Amino acid sequence: MSDAAGQRPHDLAPILGAWLAEIAAFADRAESLAIGLFGVDGQPRYLNAGMRRLLAGCPDDAMAAAFAAPTFAALRERESTNGPIHEGWLTLGSDQLVYRSIRAAVYRREDRLLVIGETDVEELERVNHELMAVNREITNLQRELARRQAELVRLNEQKNEFLGIAAHDLRSPLTVVQGFASLLLNRPEIPAEERNELLTMIMDSVKEMLAMLNNLLSVSAIESGKLRLQPQALDLAEFLERVVRLNRPLAEQKRIALRLELPPALPRVHADPERIQQVMSNLLSNAFKFSRSDTTVTVSAAPIRPDAVEIAVTDQGQGIRADELNRVFMPFQRTSTRATAGEHSTGLGLAICKRIVELSGGQIGVESELGKGSRFYFTLSAVSGAAPDS
């Protein structure tokens, strides 16, 4: 090998001087070698193919801003020397430009900056694609984290609302229990009939508190995703007959007629019987609560499509104002309609119905006319290929 092979760069000028045109032509086309000449104003004076590739898509007046580390402003503050003003990693990139790092040397002469860098273009592209994939993954994770944080904030607010409403709504029945229990303890001479009446009131208050706690636990389980349905093929006609039979005593307490209207044949439905009974109990409880004596509540069901059945509870009660219909299924929402016998309402029953029906793959809705009554309805999936039950 010639001794010239080991000479320092500035000693090569006499040897390579005759080949400068060829070297320059090769350097201009080379993509693994990045060469750029810039004015101190940041405007490019010359870019070879490698540098153009690094700065692809970057306008001339934004190229200075693409110097991420060190910045162009930091480089132009450095004084000219016999050697490079920077040597090592140079990172180029911006919001519009993929970030890339190259090994580079930066020189300054008067008002010009020469950047010379080397890179394995294919390796750089591979690394950059991997970095972009990682960046996309990080962005997706950040979005998911933000979504979950927002969900946690919502659940925390709902928890605080639960606690506030529960404390408020439990205070009244607890006061009743405390007052009547104290009366029974301090006045043993109370006649048996009056004593039984007080015990009945205590029992009613305890039932009210238990129902309220059960509703709160149901909403909590649904919102936290812990409620697990156990769907099965359900004989809907037999199921609704049982629901009506169990709820008839509650209707009779207010002298309300409870009717069941079914077609000659109903398909089986795919549902969790325990949870759908909870839906029916809430809908019937509401119907009784807001209906006056000597009216009728009707439970009905009918196929609306080959794959779906609609179940409805229709009352002849007070109805709901049109501007309040859109919030009847929201938790803790109460309408201006008042219970006819002073019954208590937590504002959770219909919200629970909505969650259970939607988890079952159905839809729930309401039609109402003020002064004439309401019709609450929901759908369930018919069992595919099941013969209707006569």
Side-chain angles (χ1 to χ4, degrees):
M1 181 179 291
S2 169
D3 291 340
Q7 293 181 1
R8 290 178 297 173
H10 62 268
D11 296 333
L12 295 177
I15 299 172
L16 299 177
W19 304 96
L20 288 181
E22 287 78 7
I23 294 171
F26 178 85
D28 183 61
R29 298 190 303 270
E31 292 192 349
S32 60
L33 182 67
I35 302 174
L37 183 63
F38 299 86
V40 291
D41 58 359
Q43 292 294 316
R45 301 294 190 265
Y46 165 76
L47 303 175
N48 82 328
M51 186 64 78
R52 287 197 301 273
R53 180 166 184 156
L54 288 173
L55 297 173
C58 187
D60 287 0
D61 57 2
M63 286 187 181
F67 282 69
T71 64
F72 193 86
L75 289 171
R76 72 183 174 195
E77 291 300 319
R78 300 179 187 180
E79 298 295 332
S80 300
T81 64
N82 291 330
I85 59 174
H86 170 78
E87 191 167 16
W89 289 107
L90 175 67
T91 300
L92 302 171
S94 66
D95 292 341
Q96 292 78 35
L97 190 67
V98 176
Y99 282 86
R100 295 179 170 94
S101 295
I102 60 172
R103 280 286 207 179
V106 182
Y107 300 86
R108 177 169 180 174
R109 288 185 184 172
E110 298 178 353
D111 61 349
R112 302 287 177 91
L113 272 71
L114 176 66
V115 180
I116 304 175
E118 59 178 343
T119 177
D120 181 334
V121 175
E122 290 185 0
E123 176 66 12
L124 183 62
E125 288 297 320
R126 184 188 66 77
V127 171
N128 281 325
H129 280 303
E130 289 179 358
L131 288 175
M132 288 171 67
V134 170
N135 188 54
R136 283 195 297 270
E137 183 65 21
I138 290 172
T139 301
N140 291 335
L141 289 172
Q142 287 174 331
R143 287 173 181 163
E144 178 64 15
L145 179 62
R147 186 191 68 77
R148 294 195 178 192
Q149 285 176 329
E151 180 69 7
L152 284 174
V153 169
R154 185 187 70 80
L155 289 174
N156 189 56
E157 290 174 350
Q158 189 174 70
K159 178 205 70 176
N160 292 337
E161 189 176 17
F162 276 12
L163 293 175
I165 290 175
H168 177 271
D169 288 351
L170 287 171
R171 184 185 294 118
S172 178
L174 280 172
T175 302
V176 170
V177 170
Q178 182 186 36
F180 289 162
S182 177
L183 190 62
L184 289 169
L185 285 171
N186 295 324
R187 291 182 56 190
E189 73 280 4
I190 293 177
E193 185 178 345
E194 187 177 344
R195 178 180 293 271
N196 288 337
E197 185 178 344
L198 291 175
L199 286 171
T200 299
M201 291 180 182
I202 289 174
M203 182 58 72
D204 288 343
S205 295
V206 170
K207 287 179 180 177
E208 182 181 328
M209 286 187 288
L210 184 60
M212 190 184 310
L213 289 172
N214 284 335
N215 278 339
L216 285 168
L217 289 172
S218 291
V219 170
S220 177
I222 292 168
E223 292 297 329
S224 63
K226 293 179 179 177
L227 184 69
R228 294 291 180 265
L229 301 183
Q230 296 179 331
Q232 61 187 61
L234 187 63
D235 184 329
L236 188 56
E238 182 180 301
F239 172 78
L240 291 177
E241 286 169 2
R242 180 174 178 275
V243 167
V244 168
R245 188 165 59 251
L246 290 173
N247 283 274
R248 183 160 277 124
L250 296 176
E252 289 173 350
Q253 287 178 11
K254 290 186 70 171
R255 298 204 321 271
I256 294 172
L258 181 56
R259 295 170 50 193
L260 177 62
E261 293 184 354
L262 300 177
L266 270 178
R268 292 174 180 266
V269 294
H270 191 65
D272 182 330
E274 181 181 348
R275 293 303 172 185
I276 298 305
Q277 181 164 327
Q278 188 177 1
V279 171
M280 292 300 300
S281 295
N282 273 322
L283 294 180
L284 285 168
S285 173
N286 257 26
F288 301 151
K289 192 180 299 179
F290 297 104
S291 294
R292 295 184 175 83
S293 299
D294 303 317
T295 58
T296 300
V297 171
T298 303
V299 175
S300 60
I304 55 171
R305 297 189 305 272
D307 62 344
V309 177
E310 182 182 270
I311 300 101
V313 174
T314 307
D315 64 54
Q316 298 172 337
Q318 305 166 73
I320 305 166
R321 284 170 35 181
D323 60 340
E324 295 177 332
L325 287 174
N326 63 338
R327 56 189 177 92
V328 296
F329 294 108
M330 296 180 184
F332 305 114
Q333 297 295 317
R334 297 181 175 96
T335 67
S336 57
T337 306
R338 291 291 171 257
T340 56
E343 296 98 329
H344 184 74
S345 173
T346 63
L348 285 172
L350 292 177
I352 292 170
C353 291
K354 183 175 188 292
R355 302 293 202 283
I356 291 174
V357 169
E358 289 177 348
L359 283 173
S360 302
Q363 295 178 318
I364 192 168
V366 59
E367 299 165 350
S368 188
E369 188 174 349
L370 198 61
K372 291 190 176 181
S374 302
R375 177 179 180 269
F376 285 86
Y377 59 91
F378 64 95
T379 61
L380 292 174
S381 298
V383 175
S384 178
D389 296 313
S390 301

